Amino acid sequence: MSHSRVSNWPSNLQYSTRPLYHASVSKEVKQFLQSSPSGTRSADNAPCRVVIRKITENTHPAHGQCGLFAGKKIPPNALILDYIGEIHCDDRPESDYDLSLHRFPDGTSVGVDASRFGNEARFTNDYRGVQSKPNAVFTDYRTNTGELRMCIRSRQEIKKGEEILVSYGKSWWSNRTDEEEK
């Protein structure tokens, strides 16, 4: 899908509905990520309609930036959409859009980085300073073809027009605080 079909998509970012695998992902890791181990379950519903919108409320921590909003009512525990980006096994401490997808017992970490490549999910903001708790959560699952993906799922009903908010986690915020103190 072209970014020109997605309202408010930044022209400097590549849009995609499929992940891109970085050269740091070994053949063995890629095989694990793309094939379903026995006993896993796939997503049971289609992605929900979402809208990217500029945050205009002065009190919002992301004022002037974009957020992700429900394009229609989203029921509880619904797959909102996959978090699409570059799948990698290298460190990316400079990225604010990098999520952990999987950690192997040997310490190999797999991440999904949507800093330069991705979909609407990259505009999901943290709930802190906006509401008392997140209305959505990051979770992993296997697609019908067996590929391991990170997605955003609703925790409760989200009304049309309501911002979709997750928790970035304490480590994300502590890393930002540490950097600011340097």
Side-chain angles (χ1 to χ4, degrees), residues 7 12 30 91 114 116 125 161 182:
S7 182
N12 63 324
K30 190 172 183 180
D91 286 335
R116 295 176 299 234
N125 288 314
K182 290 179 184 177

Side-chain angles (χ1 to χ4, degrees), residues 16-27:
S16 183
T17 58
R18 296 202 166 302
L20 172 72
Y21 284 83
H22 185 261
S24 62
V25 179
S26 71
K27 180 181 175 184

Side-chain angles (χ1 to χ4, degrees), residues 58-124:
N58 290 333
T59 58
H60 196 295
H63 176 259
Q65 299 174 34
C66 290
L68 190 66
F69 295 80
K72 64 178 188 172
K73 183 173 82 172
I74 300 172
N77 200 34
L79 175 102
I80 297 173
L81 76 165
D82 288 350
Y83 190 88
I84 300 296
E86 186 174 48
I87 309 293
H88 66 92
C89 291
D90 55 350
D91 286 335
R92 304 214 174 161
E94 73 289 346
S95 177
D96 285 339
Y97 298 90
D98 193 24
L99 296 179
S100 176
L101 177 61
H102 186 78
R103 185 177 303 270
F104 289 94
D106 70 0
T108 302
S109 292
V110 182
V112 183
D113 185 4
S115 60
R116 295 176 299 234
F117 173 92
N119 68 350
E120 297 93 337
R122 74 182 304 282
F123 294 102
T124 309

Side-chain angles (χ1 to χ4, degrees), residues 21 29-35 87 110 142 146-148:
Y21 284 83
V29 168
K30 190 172 183 180
Q31 183 176 9
F32 169 81
L33 295 174
Q34 292 181 332
S35 62
I87 309 293
V110 182
R142 295 261 177 195
E147 186 173 28
L148 184 63

Side-chain angles (χ1 to χ4, degrees), residues 68 74-77 80 124-125 127 131 133-137 152-159 162-167:
L68 190 66
I74 300 172
N77 200 34
I80 297 173
T124 309
N125 288 314
Y127 76 98
Q131 57 189 41
K133 62 181 182 176
N135 58 15
V137 62
I152 300 170
R153 245 183 212 288
S154 59
R155 293 176 56 151
Q156 62 199 43
E157 180 179 287
I158 303 173
K159 294 179 176 94
E162 187 177 343
E163 187 174 7
I164 298 165
L165 298 164
V166 297
S167 173

